[in-house]
Amino acid sequence: MIELERMKEDHHEFLDILFFTPSEFEKAGGAWPIRIGHNVAKSNYHIGPRTTPYHYLLFVLEGEGTFIQNGQQYPLRTRDAFCLFPHVTHEYWTDPDHTLQKIFVAFDGAYAAELLSRIGLNADKPYRPGVLTSETASSMRAFMEDVRRPQDGASDLGRLTRFLGLFDRIARSPATKSLQPDAAIPWLQKGKEYIELHFAGGISVEGVSAHAGVDRTHFAKQFRKAYGLSPVQYIQQLKMDQAKRLLVQTALSLTEVAHSVGYPDLFSFSKAFKKQVGLPPNRYRTTEQKRE
């Protein structure tokens, strides 16, 4: 239950809001919170038409109303989510007989829109019905309490952790999981990107195909058809390309290079390198350094 005594009252609402000044650490990341709060609308509550410089993610805790953005009108009901996008005219108001109660967070950063896409919201679809869970609402309230008294130890790191954790919680909820852009990425592309990121980490084709969400045999067959190499050959190629860079551009020992690209020992690395490149790694290093 929202405590009105903690809230500031004005002519059209009761409002509890906390403002943040992002640190340099926060601004070095992709997105950071600007403010967080919740409100209880009075019967005359009406916002806009206006714009905002930030992204605002709002959830309806109770009540009913109407939201307009980009010329589209949406009904607001309990558990609905809607987003105000920067520099886009928006307007929203309450049903006088069922006044809105909302909880919200405003944020900024180059990847703010990407965060929203993870929960199925974008400039063309700024509204999603029924996505607020009790866990998400509790998480936002806990966020507010955590940062309300900075003297108790809240920090920019804690604030950012709370903020990103909030989006992670929303993205993993059943109501939004299927809306994430990752669900629309072709499985073959997902597998290839996984290989390119983790090729030196001892991955297997079984693990890659499981990440892509398809059978191993089918994955391997379609991968070869699309890219001209089997997954194993592609992993090997990436390892060798990285090994060649390390041999030429660093002073790492041969054993250190072997470990860096995922081989357990120098012998297995040297054998694989010579088979792939045509020279043992020490000779390759010497030859390439003489060319420079």
Side-chain angles (χ1 to χ4, degrees), residues 45 56-60 80-84 92 102-105:
Y45 183 77
Y56 263 85
L57 177 61
L58 306 99
F59 295 99
V60 178
D80 290 355
F82 63 108
C83 183
L84 313 179
Y92 54 97
K102 306 188 310 300
I103 194 163
F104 58 87
V105 60

Side-chain angles (χ1 to χ4, degrees), residues 16 25 32-33 41-42 44-45 63 76 93-94 101 110 120 122 143 154 178 199 210 219 233 241 249 272 280:
D16 181 17
F25 173 79
W32 55 87
K42 296 181 179 180
N44 64 331
Y45 183 77
L76 297 177
W93 60 90
T94 190
Q101 296 184 23
N122 57 54
F143 186 175
S178 63
F199 67 87
F219 176 80
Q233 290 171 329
D241 288 346
Q249 298 174 12

Side-chain angles (χ1 to χ4, degrees), residues 145-180:
E145 293 310 309
D146 190 45
V147 299
R148 191 181 296 278
R149 296 178 296 274
Q151 68 271 19
D152 292 343
S155 66
D156 56 354
L157 181 58
R159 189 165 59 224
L160 193 57
T161 299
R162 282 282 195 185
F163 172 65
L164 295 177
L166 170 65
F167 275 88
D168 180 57
R169 179 182 295 278
I170 300 168
R172 288 188 287 109
S173 70
T176 57
K177 196 169 184 179
S178 63
L179 302 174
Q180 296 179 49

Side-chain angles (χ1 to χ4, degrees), residues 114 179 276 283:
E114 169 65 18
L179 302 174
Q276 182 87 4
R283 188 177 301 175

Side-chain angles (χ1 to χ4, degrees), residues 83-158:
C83 183
L84 313 179
F85 281 80
H87 314 300
V88 178
T89 300
H90 62 262
E91 184 177 6
Y92 54 97
W93 60 90
T94 190
D95 179 331
D97 297 323
H98 303 88
T99 53
L100 289 169
Q101 296 184 23
K102 306 188 310 300
I103 194 163
F104 58 87
V105 60
F107 50 101
D108 199 8
Y111 286 92
E114 169 65 18
L115 270 181
L116 288 164
S117 74
R118 296 298 184 96
I119 59 173
L121 293 167
N122 57 54
D124 295 324
K125 294 181 179 179
Y127 164 83
R128 292 288 181 185
V131 301
L132 178 65
T133 64
S134 59
E135 291 80 10
T136 296
S138 295
S139 179
M140 293 185 74
R141 291 190 180 101
F143 186 175
M144 292 186 69
E145 293 310 309
D146 190 45
V147 299
R148 191 181 296 278
R149 296 178 296 274
Q151 68 271 19
D152 292 343
S155 66
D156 56 354
L157 181 58

Side-chain angles (χ1 to χ4, degrees), residues 236-255:
Q236 185 76 348
Q237 176 180 291
L238 291 172
K239 286 184 175 184
M240 292 302 109
D241 288 346
Q242 176 69 351
K244 287 189 285 186
R245 284 190 290 270
L246 293 175
L247 287 168
V248 175
Q249 298 174 12
T250 76
L252 293 175
S253 69
L254 297 184
T255 298

